[in-house]
Amino acid sequence: MDKTINIKDVAKAAGVSIATVSRVVNGLVTVKRGNKARVDEAIKKLKFRPNVSAQRLAAKQNNAIGLVIPRYTDIFHSFYALQILQGVGLAVEKMRLDLLLHITNGNTFLNISAVEGVIFSDIIGNEEQVDNILQMDMPCVIMNYVTKDLPVSCVGIDNIGGAVKAVQHLIDLGHRNIATITGELKSQVAIDRMDGYIKTLEKNKIEKKGIFVKYGDFGRDSAIKATKELIRLKTPPTAIFAASDEMAVGAIQVAVENGINVPGELSVMGFDDNPLAIGFSPVAVTTIRQPLHQMAIVATETLRDIITKKIRGNKKIKLPCELIERSSCAPLT
Amino acid sequence: MDKTINIKDVAKAAGVSIATVSRVVNGLVTVKRGNKARVDEAIKKLKFRPNVSAQRLAAKQNNAIGLVIPRYTDIFHSFYALQILQGVGLAVEKMRLDLLLHITNGNTFLNISAVEGVIFSDIIGNEEQVDNILQMDMPCVIMNYVTKDLPVSCVGIDNIGGAVKAVQHLIDLGHRNIATITGELKSQVAIDRMDGYIKTLEKNKIEKKGIFVKYGDFGRDSAIKATKELIRLKTPPTAIFAASDEMAVGAIQVAVENGINVPGELSVMGFDDNPLAIGFSPVAVTTIRQPLHQMAIVATETLRDIITKKIRGNKKIKLPCELIERSSCAPLT
DNA sequence: CTGAAAGCGCTAACAA
DNA sequence: TTGTTAGCGCTTTCAG
């Protein structure tokens, strides 16, 4: 006797047809006050909950989207992943969509038929899935990876622009001997940030010295090594642009340990505005903030548009970064 | 002409009935080889994907569970949240369940009718939702919060036991003057860890001095303040048990800055095994690891059992912690 | 081993 | 404004 109650039961209890019940459930206005009230009451009394599967089947749309995230092993991506999650979570909430989450290493698949579209957060390891989705014409957007090679909408961060802002800030502060510690150059992000560095130097007609570009991997240790080399130079840089906050913190630590005042004698610029990293810095890190949250929201909205307008999205969106001034950069004296 | 193809199309293409197609789709063995092959081929050729809503409607079960997570503003919870997410993600994958994620501040609700059960990761701010769910007899388990007051299954961490392990380790190392820096005592977690500290002291017949218990809030700054006070004591402690790694790192930093050797002159024990925090420590932090991942998995399995066995779960599970020895604790010399 | 057919619970014409 | 009814795509007896 614990049969789940359905629309028919409600109809009976309220003395109307199931169509009317359906109407009030879906908020269609064409229902007389009295009836609506009775139905509402019946729903409450019976604790009626519409069966979503039936709704979706009948309405031929399921109001759910999928989010697939690579299974990061690297814990330092957690800040990133969480921002994404929050952003998408916020957006689906507003759009009254269900969110199916799929965390994967690329070997498992999202239950595609349970969603109307999918967002890929990054694409590493999931190329195959993206292909699948694309082939079956399922609405799709890729986040944090912008490629012209795929006929998909992408929304990412303008890393070049961010790097330009960073380096230009240093230049505006009077610095000319500016070094950089790059990220893992296998990633688009790292390349873009280095590009921004080079571009800005050129634009300001500052000679770029090979000795000032150190190859890191976004991690602190690589920055420590690089910085040690940098400060040992006959003419050491007066400023360092690190491609991640983690590396910026590493650089600052090396400086401090070597009695070099930051920012007095050495300015250090980070990237990410990653609270995890900068929280542990002896000096508040001046950095570039990426609109991660916004990226997630834009991605969700883009997907929604693709779904509702039945278009085949192929926009490439890049969101601008913001300079966050704190205390690790100062004018050259 | 882009009508989605359904089971009928496949049946026609394979020259069998839809019932047979359904059987092969569901892996029922009662299908002749030849037919199965033809159906499989048709499915592939037509790119057939069963409609999940229809499946669920017909089968009367939807194979999806919900996970509701509080919208943390505190970024230092990111490690925690991500571990949970990964654990649950892994588990649902194995059980072939869909995962509906709902990140909330307590004002928005999970689409309950889209799932068969829900897991609450923590309960802060979501008490009302838990009540709702419970009232409607929906399968439910609460994670990381164990309460006897609610008729729900809970799976949490044995924080008391973890603290006992931590302090006992210090005692085994010969320490007698052991201080503690507590977490935010509003939380169950913090209270339990302090309880473990006190209990262990008593068990070892070590007098506990009020001056050795400092009230922190899990954050680094509170630990810095506390440690400064501690080292200024006439007889300072030879060991500190911090209720979080963040605080342990703070303590270590203060010690180092004051020329106190860790662990030579001062042993520091953390809690959490939080890579975010300990990655920035000058000394590798000896700490207590919580089985976060496992907790998530157990929670998911528990929920699954409640759903399939149609029982009304009310188990209270506490998972044990593990001592991770690194280099911030040493024998008293 | 297979097919026919009766639903699953709901939405959306269509008619009234 | 409301009710009737035909599906939505699939699972699952029940016969055969």
Side-chain angles (χ1 to χ4, degrees):
Chain A
M1 172 62 287
D2 90 285
K3 134 192 202 313
T4 70
I5 61 103
N6 58 213
I7 199 171
K8 236 184 224 162
D9 302 320
V10 177
K12 199 171 298 173
V16 298
S17 73
I18 61 167
T20 299
V21 176
S22 174
R23 288 183 185 110
V24 354
V25 166
N26 292 287
L28 272 347
V29 253
T30 59
V31 177
K32 243 197 257 165
R33 304 271 295 237
N35 278 339
K36 176 168 161 38
R38 294 223 298 290
V39 171
D40 279 333
E41 193 191 9
I43 289 179
K44 195 161 295 171
K45 202 177 68 196
L46 268 36
K47 292 191 185 174
F48 168 64
R49 300 231 136 233
N51 177 311
V52 182
S53 294
Q55 284 181 312
R56 290 177 175 170
L57 178 58
K60 298 185 173 199
Q61 43 124 293
N62 59 18
N63 280 106
I65 65 169
L67 172 61
V68 0
I69 297 193
R71 176 141 49 225
Y72 286 116
T73 49
D74 180 356
I75 193 60
F76 281 104
H77 279 113
S78 59
F79 168 63
Y80 165 79
L82 232 28
Q83 288 290 104
I84 297 293
L85 241 21
Q86 286 202 355
V88 175
L90 223 58
V92 297
E93 198 173 273
K94 234 180 280 175
M95 304 179 191
R96 325 199 99 256
L97 256 28
D98 282 353
L99 210 215
L100 245 76
L101 180 64
H102 190 71
I103 303 178
T104 179
N105 50 15
N107 295 324
T108 59
F109 295 79
L110 175 73
N111 184 348
I112 292 171
S113 36
V115 298
E116 289 186 298
V118 8
I119 298 177
F120 287 89
S121 159
D122 237 314
I123 198 183
I124 322 164
N126 292 136
E127 294 80 358
E128 196 189 336
Q129 298 206 35
V130 175
D131 269 3
N132 277 334
I133 302 269
L134 251 32
Q135 264 186 34
M136 60 195 351
D137 264 330
M138 159 137 326
C140 170
V141 358
I142 298 177
M143 199 158 49
N144 204 37
Y145 180 87
V146 177
T147 171
K148 305 259 182 242
D149 302 341
L150 251 34
V152 219
S153 284
C154 301
V155 15
I157 301 291
D158 180 11
N159 283 291
I160 298 186
V164 167
K165 275 185 192 166
V167 178
Q168 188 63 53
H169 179 66
L170 259 11
I171 293 175
D172 291 347
L173 251 22
H175 295 279
R176 287 295 172 275
N177 290 314
I178 304 171
T180 189
I181 309 177
T182 73
E184 173 68 73
L185 285 183
K186 270 183 273 183
S187 75
Q188 196 186 35
V189 168
I191 294 174
D192 285 355
R193 292 179 189 175
M194 187 171 81
D195 278 0
Y197 164 81
I198 293 174
K199 201 190 264 184
T200 312
L201 253 34
E202 285 171 353
K203 186 173 163 216
N204 288 271
K205 307 220 182 341
I206 296 176
E207 181 205 0
K208 61 174 198 288
K209 313 183 190 168
I211 206 162
F212 274 176
V213 357
K214 293 293 182 188
Y215 300 98
D217 61 7
F218 288 124
R220 200 171 55 124
D221 292 343
S222 69
I224 289 177
K225 183 165 165 290
T227 308
K228 282 181 181 162
E229 293 170 9
L230 250 15
I231 60 179
R232 234 180 266 126
L233 259 28
K234 41 298 81 180
T235 58
T238 60
I240 296 179
F241 165 51
S244 78
D245 284 338
E246 250 192 277
M247 298 200 295
V249 173
I252 291 173
Q253 285 176 338
V254 169
V256 168
E257 281 164 20
N258 285 273
I260 299 171
N261 183 278
V262 175
E265 301 166 78
L266 179 69
S267 287
V268 177
M269 168 75 71
F271 208 119
D272 290 343
D273 195 32
N274 178 346
L276 269 27
I278 63 189
F280 288 95
S281 174
V283 180
V285 183
T286 295
T287 190
I288 300 292
R289 170 141 69 211
Q290 310 179 68
L292 256 22
H293 231 271
Q294 198 203 340
M295 176 174 74
I297 293 175
V298 171
T300 311
E301 287 171 346
T302 304
L303 181 63
R304 197 255 324 262
D305 287 352
I306 295 178
I307 292 172
T308 59
K309 297 179 186 155
K310 306 206 172 194
I311 52 181
R312 202 185 201 302
N314 192 7
K315 284 193 214 160
K316 313 296 180 183
I317 303 173
K318 285 200 179 191
L319 270 16
C321 297
E322 181 190 358
L323 173 70
I324 306 292
E325 292 190 54
R326 284 195 270 254
S327 6
S328 66
C329 295
L332 187 65
T333 50
Chain B
M1 171 60 289
D2 89 285
K3 136 192 200 314
T4 70
I5 60 103
N6 59 212
I7 200 171
K8 236 184 225 164
D9 302 320
V10 178
K12 200 171 299 174
V16 297
S17 73
I18 63 167
T20 299
V21 176
S22 174
R23 289 185 184 110
V24 353
V25 166
N26 292 288
L28 273 346
V29 252
T30 59
V31 178
K32 240 198 260 167
R33 305 271 295 235
N35 277 340
K36 175 169 162 37
R38 293 223 300 291
V39 171
D40 279 333
E41 194 191 9
I43 288 179
K44 196 161 294 170
K45 202 176 70 196
L46 267 36
K47 292 190 185 174
F48 168 64
R49 301 228 136 235
N51 177 312
V52 183
S53 293
Q55 285 182 311
R56 290 177 176 170
L57 178 57
K60 298 181 174 204
Q61 42 126 283
N62 62 17
N63 280 108
I65 65 169
L67 172 61
V68 0
I69 298 191
R71 176 142 50 225
Y72 286 116
T73 50
D74 180 355
I75 194 59
F76 282 103
H77 279 113
S78 60
F79 167 64
Y80 164 79
L82 230 28
Q83 288 290 104
I84 298 293
L85 242 18
Q86 286 201 355
V88 175
L90 222 57
V92 297
E93 200 172 272
K94 234 181 281 175
M95 303 179 192
R96 325 199 99 257
L97 255 31
D98 282 354
L99 210 218
L100 245 76
L101 179 66
H102 190 72
I103 303 177
T104 178
N105 51 14
N107 295 325
T108 60
F109 295 79
L110 174 74
N111 183 349
I112 292 171
S113 37
V115 298
E116 289 186 299
V118 8
I119 298 177
F120 287 88
S121 159
D122 239 314
I123 199 183
I124 323 164
N126 293 135
E127 294 80 359
E128 196 190 336
Q129 298 206 33
V130 174
D131 270 3
N132 277 335
I133 302 270
L134 250 32
Q135 264 187 33
M136 60 194 353
D137 264 330
M138 159 138 325
C140 170
V141 358
I142 298 177
M143 199 158 49
N144 205 38
Y145 180 87
V146 177
T147 171
K148 305 257 181 245
D149 302 340
L150 251 34
V152 219
S153 284
C154 300
V155 15
I157 302 291
D158 180 10
N159 282 290
I160 297 186
V164 168
K165 275 185 190 165
V167 178
Q168 189 62 53
H169 179 65
L170 258 11
I171 293 174
D172 292 346
L173 251 22
H175 294 279
R176 287 295 172 275
N177 290 314
I178 304 172
T180 189
I181 308 176
T182 74
E184 173 68 74
L185 284 183
K186 270 182 276 182
S187 74
Q188 196 186 36
V189 168
I191 293 172
D192 285 354
R193 292 180 188 174
M194 186 171 81
D195 277 0
Y197 163 81
I198 293 173
K199 200 189 265 181
T200 311
L201 251 35
E202 285 171 353
K203 186 174 163 215
N204 288 271
K205 308 219 185 338
I206 296 176
E207 180 205 0
K208 60 174 199 288
K209 314 182 190 169
I211 206 160
F212 275 175
V213 357
K214 293 293 181 186
Y215 300 97
D217 61 7
F218 289 124
R220 201 171 53 125
D221 291 344
S222 69
I224 289 177
K225 181 164 167 291
T227 308
K228 282 181 180 161
E229 294 170 8
L230 251 14
I231 60 179
R232 232 180 269 127
L233 258 30
K234 49 267 117 171
T235 59
T238 62
I240 296 178
F241 165 51
S244 78
D245 284 339
E246 251 192 277
M247 296 201 295
V249 173
I252 291 174
Q253 286 176 339
V254 169
V256 168
E257 280 163 19
N258 285 274
I260 299 171
N261 183 278
V262 175
E265 301 166 80
L266 179 68
S267 286
V268 177
M269 168 76 71
F271 208 118
D272 289 344
D273 196 32
N274 178 345
L276 269 28
I278 64 189
F280 288 94
S281 175
V283 180
V285 183
T286 294
T287 190
I288 300 292
R289 170 142 69 210
Q290 310 178 68
L292 257 21
H293 231 273
Q294 199 204 339
M295 175 174 75
I297 293 175
V298 171
T300 311
E301 287 170 346
T302 304
L303 181 62
R304 197 256 324 264
D305 287 352
I306 294 178
I307 292 172
T308 60
K309 296 177 187 155
K310 305 203 173 198
I311 52 182
R312 201 184 203 304
N314 192 7
K315 285 192 214 160
K316 313 295 180 184
I317 302 174
K318 285 200 180 192
L319 270 15
C321 298
E322 182 190 357
L323 174 70
I324 306 291
E325 293 190 54
R326 285 196 271 254
S327 4
S328 66
C329 295
L332 187 65
T333 50

